[in-house]
Amino acid sequence: MSLQNCLPLIVFVVVATVTPGSATTLAVASGANFGYRRSLPYMMGIAVGLGSMAAAAATGLGGIMQANPDLQSALKLIGSLYLVWLATRIARSASPHAASAPRNPIGFAGGVWMLWHNPKGWAMTLAAAASFAVIVHGPGRLAALLGISFAVAAMTSLSIWCMAGLALARLLRSERQWRCLNGVLAALLVASIVAMWLP
């Protein structure tokens, strides 16, 4: 497999993972409120979730999910409720130094869980599986290629977004500024939920 064959896949995966959405918004919020090191389990959960989702899409599980509208709707509803709960948690957050601030960031399992309930993630990984099946022979190799590509790209892009949150946190001086940042991040997370329901 040549670099020329892989280049379109690399571009697709990078663009798909770096663009703003619920996972990147939560990475910014986690970086701002907990720092990079404490956000690593969440980011690793997202990366493993997306990588395993891409591998599942390549082996055919994604097609089963796409063919079942009731299952899609249930996933969308569960994922939306979880994200609304997270948005509420972020919106209510004060400065990470305040006594009322949440003590723990989203963990590894929360990251995986969030990804596997995201219908847009399924659509994105199914599109990749359909588009790039010709560059390798067999579903096993495609699953490995897509799984690793999406996991590495997700970890890289989430690290960038998390560091952006950390940089923002260094600029904030007052409790009011923290509440504004957390309110904006919560609103962006809700906007990503609305986008999930659009056709």
Side-chain angles (χ1 to χ4, degrees):
M1 180 175 26
S2 69
L3 179 61
Q4 185 178 0
N5 288 338
C6 283
L7 194 56
L9 172 63
I10 293 167
V11 171
F12 179 91
V13 168
V14 168
V15 170
T17 57
V18 82
T19 51
S22 54
T24 55
T25 302
L26 288 169
V28 172
S30 191
N33 287 284
F34 301 106
Y36 184 82
R37 187 182 58 80
R38 292 187 67 201
S39 300
L40 275 171
Y42 161 72
M43 293 188 294
M44 290 171 76
I46 291 290
V48 167
L50 189 58
S52 61
M53 181 186 284
T59 57
L61 177 61
I64 294 168
M65 298 189 74
Q66 286 288 83
N68 189 335
D70 291 336
L71 182 58
Q72 284 184 53
S73 297
L75 282 174
K76 196 183 291 191
L77 180 62
I78 292 167
S80 296
L81 292 173
Y82 180 63
L83 291 174
V84 166
W85 177 77
L86 289 175
T88 304
R89 185 177 162 196
I90 292 169
R92 291 181 176 172
S93 296
S95 156
H97 311 295
S100 62
R103 294 287 163 225
N104 296 310
I106 301 167
F108 179 86
V112 172
W113 195 89
M114 187 186 89
L115 243 295
W116 272 76
H117 288 83
N118 184 338
K120 286 209 169 186
W122 282 109
M124 175 178 62
T125 54
L126 277 169
S131 300
F132 300 106
V134 295
I135 65 174
V136 291
H137 298 292
R141 288 184 179 181
L142 181 63
L145 177 65
L146 292 183
I148 292 168
S149 299
F150 272 101
V152 169
M155 193 65 200
T156 304
S157 68
L158 290 172
S159 292
I160 293 167
W161 284 101
C162 185
M163 296 301 277
L166 192 56
L168 275 173
R170 291 182 178 151
L171 299 174
L172 304 180
R173 299 283 178 251
S174 70
E175 194 67 35
R176 183 173 178 272
Q177 291 172 329
W178 273 103
R179 289 202 178 273
C180 285
L181 173 66
N182 288 330
V184 167
L185 291 171
L188 289 172
L189 189 53
V190 170
S192 75
I193 298 166
V194 171
M196 193 187 309
W197 286 91
L198 295 175

